[in-house]
Amino acid sequence: MIRAVIVDDEKNNIENIILLLKRNNLPVLVVGIATNVDDGIAAIVELKPDLLFLDIQMPEKDGFDLLKALPHFQFEVIFVTAFDQYGIQAVKFSAIDYLLKPINPDELELSIRKVEKKLSQKKSNDQLENLMGLLNDKEAKKDHKLALASTKEIRFVNTQEIIRCESYNAYTLFYLIDGKSITVSRPIFEYEELLANYGFIRCHQSHLVNTIYIKSLIKEDSGYLLLNDETRIPISRGKKEYVLKALNTIKN
């Protein structure tokens, strides 16, 4: 059984998680609950859970304050939030699971299965470490690392090491400066949102490009981007004005 602690300022939300876990016969034993950050920290230190269900927005101190107060992360985290709010981008950047309220039972079960797999591997929680680095150094974007979860591993890649992304249906292929590539089972539009503030532009339905690797914009053949490695990336008709404006903004 996975030993879990739930930290949420609303007791009905705690009761709902417990009910869903039991109703869906999930292998989770709730060993502790807390309705504020300080009590949550005490429960984690005392009970040493395998899993933490953590509400993000709470009065006075939020879920991130709880994590910042802990020296080590010997547990997995599933964030629970009422809406796609502050901090969720950093959570997505680190490929950490989160559930939106009201909780979907199928999504809850999927998250628990992922936790089971991680716990069986008994690895340190690098995803939480990456998350805290993002939250503590919001302005140091050149040092931010994106968690790319492939079938074999979760690789943390500096955003400046990513040349471009290419879409294959529900998968995204990342091309890196070391010549390697990583395939992730997430659609490209999710990364368009995550990488928008890191110099990436979506020039085509299937392509997301890091502007630091763009050599020039070629206007012939309907228009395309020529990268430093001579790769040609098409520009869709509806994206031409956006691409020109984005490149001019970066240049200036």
Side-chain angles (χ1 to χ4, degrees), residues 212-235:
I212 64 176
Y213 297 108
I214 296 176
K215 184 176 182 180
S216 58
L217 187 154
I218 309 300
K219 295 183 179 180
E220 63 186 28
D221 297 332
S222 300
Y224 61 87
L225 295 174
L226 182 66
L227 305 189
N228 293 337
D229 62 1
E230 302 301 319
T231 300
R232 296 184 178 190
I233 306 297
I235 302 173

CSV table of all heavy atoms in Angstrom, one decimal, residues 212-235:
chain,number,residue,atom,x,y,z
A,212,ILE,N,16.9,31.1,-31.1
A,212,ILE,CA,18.4,31.3,-31.1
A,212,ILE,C,19.1,30.4,-32.2
A,212,ILE,O,20.2,30.7,-32.5
A,212,ILE,CB,19.0,31.0,-29.7
A,212,ILE,CG1,18.8,29.5,-29.3
A,212,ILE,CG2,18.4,31.9,-28.7
A,212,ILE,CD1,19.5,29.2,-28.0
A,213,TYR,N,18.3,29.4,-32.7
A,213,TYR,CA,18.9,28.6,-33.7
A,213,TYR,C,18.4,28.9,-35.1
A,213,TYR,O,18.7,28.2,-36.1
A,213,TYR,CB,18.7,27.1,-33.4
A,213,TYR,CG,19.3,26.7,-32.1
A,213,TYR,CD1,18.6,26.4,-31.0
A,213,TYR,CD2,20.7,26.6,-32.0
A,213,TYR,CE1,19.2,26.1,-29.8
A,213,TYR,CE2,21.3,26.2,-30.8
A,213,TYR,CZ,20.5,26.0,-29.7
A,213,TYR,OH,21.1,25.6,-28.5
A,214,ILE,N,17.7,30.0,-35.3
A,214,ILE,CA,17.2,30.4,-36.6
A,214,ILE,C,18.3,31.3,-37.3
A,214,ILE,O,18.7,32.3,-36.8
A,214,ILE,CB,15.9,31.2,-36.5
A,214,ILE,CG1,14.8,30.4,-35.9
A,214,ILE,CG2,15.5,31.8,-37.9
A,214,ILE,CD1,13.5,31.1,-35.7
A,215,LYS,N,18.7,30.8,-38.5
A,215,LYS,CA,19.7,31.5,-39.3
A,215,LYS,C,19.1,32.6,-40.1
A,215,LYS,O,19.6,33.7,-40.2
A,215,LYS,CB,20.4,30.5,-40.2
A,215,LYS,CG,21.6,31.1,-41.0
A,215,LYS,CD,22.2,30.0,-41.8
A,215,LYS,CE,23.4,30.5,-42.6
A,215,LYS,NZ,24.1,29.4,-43.4
A,216,SER,N,18.0,32.3,-40.7
A,216,SER,CA,17.3,33.3,-41.6
A,216,SER,C,15.9,32.9,-41.9
A,216,SER,O,15.5,31.7,-41.7
A,216,SER,CB,18.1,33.6,-42.9
A,216,SER,OG,18.2,32.4,-43.6
A,217,LEU,N,15.1,33.8,-42.4
A,217,LEU,CA,13.7,33.5,-42.8
A,217,LEU,C,13.8,33.7,-44.4
A,217,LEU,O,14.1,34.7,-44.9
A,217,LEU,CB,12.7,34.5,-42.2
A,217,LEU,CG,11.2,34.2,-42.5
A,217,LEU,CD1,10.4,34.8,-41.4
A,217,LEU,CD2,10.8,34.8,-43.8
A,218,ILE,N,13.5,32.6,-45.0
A,218,ILE,CA,13.5,32.6,-46.5
A,218,ILE,C,12.1,32.7,-47.0
A,218,ILE,O,11.2,32.0,-46.6
A,218,ILE,CB,14.1,31.2,-47.0
A,218,ILE,CG1,15.4,30.9,-46.4
A,218,ILE,CG2,14.2,31.3,-48.5
A,218,ILE,CD1,16.5,32.0,-46.6
A,219,LYS,N,11.9,33.7,-47.9
A,219,LYS,CA,10.5,34.0,-48.4
A,219,LYS,C,10.1,33.2,-49.5
A,219,LYS,O,8.9,33.2,-49.8
A,219,LYS,CB,10.4,35.5,-48.7
A,219,LYS,CG,10.7,36.4,-47.5
A,219,LYS,CD,10.5,37.9,-47.9
A,219,LYS,CE,10.7,38.8,-46.6
A,219,LYS,NZ,10.5,40.2,-47.0
A,220,GLU,N,11.0,32.5,-50.2
A,220,GLU,CA,10.6,31.7,-51.4
A,220,GLU,C,9.9,30.4,-50.9
A,220,GLU,O,10.0,30.0,-49.8
A,220,GLU,CB,11.8,31.4,-52.3
A,220,GLU,CG,12.9,30.6,-51.5
A,220,GLU,CD,14.1,30.5,-52.4
A,220,GLU,OE1,14.4,31.3,-53.2
A,220,GLU,OE2,14.8,29.4,-52.2
A,221,ASP,N,9.3,29.7,-51.9
A,221,ASP,CA,8.7,28.4,-51.6
A,221,ASP,C,7.7,28.5,-50.5
A,221,ASP,O,7.7,27.7,-49.5
A,221,ASP,CB,9.7,27.3,-51.3
A,221,ASP,CG,10.6,27.1,-52.5
A,221,ASP,OD1,10.2,27.3,-53.6
A,221,ASP,OD2,11.8,26.7,-52.2
A,222,SER,N,6.9,29.5,-50.5
A,222,SER,CA,5.8,29.8,-49.5
A,222,SER,C,6.4,30.2,-48.1
A,222,SER,O,5.6,30.4,-47.2
A,222,SER,CB,4.9,28.5,-49.3
A,222,SER,OG,4.3,28.2,-50.5
A,223,GLY,N,7.7,30.3,-48.0
A,223,GLY,CA,8.3,30.7,-46.8
A,223,GLY,C,8.7,29.6,-45.9
A,223,GLY,O,8.0,28.7,-45.6
A,224,TYR,N,10.0,29.7,-45.3
A,224,TYR,CA,10.4,28.7,-44.3
A,224,TYR,C,11.5,29.3,-43.5
A,224,TYR,O,12.2,30.3,-43.9
A,224,TYR,CB,10.9,27.4,-45.0
A,224,TYR,CG,12.0,27.6,-46.0
A,224,TYR,CD1,13.3,27.5,-45.5
A,224,TYR,CD2,11.8,27.7,-47.4
A,224,TYR,CE1,14.4,27.6,-46.4
A,224,TYR,CE2,12.9,27.9,-48.2
A,224,TYR,CZ,14.2,27.8,-47.8
A,224,TYR,OH,15.2,27.9,-48.7
A,225,LEU,N,11.8,28.7,-42.4
A,225,LEU,CA,12.9,29.1,-41.5
A,225,LEU,C,14.1,28.2,-41.8
A,225,LEU,O,14.0,27.0,-41.9
A,225,LEU,CB,12.5,29.0,-40.0
A,225,LEU,CG,11.3,29.9,-39.5
A,225,LEU,CD1,11.0,29.5,-38.1
A,225,LEU,CD2,11.7,31.4,-39.6
A,226,LEU,N,15.2,28.9,-42.0
A,226,LEU,CA,16.5,28.1,-42.2
A,226,LEU,C,17.2,28.2,-40.9
A,226,LEU,O,17.6,29.2,-40.4
A,226,LEU,CB,17.3,28.8,-43.3
A,226,LEU,CG,18.6,28.0,-43.7
A,226,LEU,CD1,18.3,26.7,-44.2
A,226,LEU,CD2,19.4,28.9,-44.6
A,227,LEU,N,17.5,27.0,-40.3
A,227,LEU,CA,18.2,26.9,-39.0
A,227,LEU,C,19.7,26.9,-39.3
A,227,LEU,O,20.2,26.7,-40.4
A,227,LEU,CB,17.7,25.7,-38.3
A,227,LEU,CG,16.2,25.6,-38.0
A,227,LEU,CD1,15.9,24.4,-37.1
A,227,LEU,CD2,15.6,26.9,-37.5
A,228,ASN,N,20.4,27.0,-38.2
A,228,ASN,CA,21.9,27.0,-38.2
A,228,ASN,C,22.5,25.7,-38.8
A,228,ASN,O,23.5,25.7,-39.4
A,228,ASN,CB,22.5,27.2,-36.9
A,228,ASN,CG,22.2,28.6,-36.3
A,228,ASN,OD1,21.9,29.6,-37.1
A,228,ASN,ND2,22.2,28.8,-35.0
A,229,ASP,N,21.8,24.6,-38.6
A,229,ASP,CA,22.2,23.3,-39.2
A,229,ASP,C,21.7,23.0,-40.6
A,229,ASP,O,21.7,21.9,-41.0
A,229,ASP,CB,21.9,22.2,-38.2
A,229,ASP,CG,20.3,22.0,-38.0
A,229,ASP,OD1,19.6,22.8,-38.7
A,229,ASP,OD2,19.9,21.2,-37.3
A,230,GLU,N,21.1,24.1,-41.2
A,230,GLU,CA,20.6,24.0,-42.6
A,230,GLU,C,19.2,23.3,-42.7
A,230,GLU,O,18.7,23.1,-43.8
A,230,GLU,CB,21.6,23.4,-43.5
A,230,GLU,CG,22.9,24.1,-43.6
A,230,GLU,CD,22.8,25.6,-44.0
A,230,GLU,OE1,22.0,25.9,-44.9
A,230,GLU,OE2,23.5,26.4,-43.5
A,231,THR,N,18.6,23.0,-41.5
A,231,THR,CA,17.3,22.4,-41.5
A,231,THR,C,16.3,23.4,-42.0
A,231,THR,O,16.4,24.6,-41.6
A,231,THR,CB,16.9,21.9,-40.1
A,231,THR,OG1,17.8,20.9,-39.7
A,231,THR,CG2,15.5,21.2,-40.2
A,232,ARG,N,15.4,23.0,-42.8
A,232,ARG,CA,14.3,23.9,-43.3
A,232,ARG,C,13.0,23.6,-42.5
A,232,ARG,O,12.5,22.5,-42.6
A,232,ARG,CB,14.1,23.8,-44.8
A,232,ARG,CG,15.3,24.2,-45.6
A,232,ARG,CD,15.0,24.2,-47.1
A,232,ARG,NE,16.1,24.6,-47.9
A,232,ARG,CZ,16.0,24.8,-49.2
A,232,ARG,NH1,14.9,24.6,-49.8
A,232,ARG,NH2,17.1,25.2,-49.9
A,233,ILE,N,12.4,24.6,-41.9
A,233,ILE,CA,11.2,24.5,-41.2
A,233,ILE,C,10.1,25.3,-41.8
A,233,ILE,O,10.2,26.5,-42.0
A,233,ILE,CB,11.3,24.9,-39.7
A,233,ILE,CG1,12.5,24.1,-39.0
A,233,ILE,CG2,10.0,24.6,-38.9
A,233,ILE,CD1,12.3,22.7,-39.0
A,234,PRO,N,9.0,24.7,-42.3
A,234,PRO,CA,8.0,25.4,-43.0
A,234,PRO,C,7.2,26.4,-42.1
A,234,PRO,O,7.1,26.2,-40.9
A,234,PRO,CB,7.0,24.3,-43.5
A,234,PRO,CG,7.2,23.2,-42.6
A,234,PRO,CD,8.7,23.2,-42.2
A,235,ILE,N,6.8,27.5,-42.8
A,235,ILE,CA,5.9,28.4,-42.1
A,235,ILE,C,4.5,28.3,-42.7
A,235,ILE,O,4.4,28.5,-43.9
A,235,ILE,CB,6.4,29.9,-42.3
A,235,ILE,CG1,7.9,30.0,-41.7
A,235,ILE,CG2,5.5,30.9,-41.5
A,235,ILE,CD1,8.5,31.3,-42.0
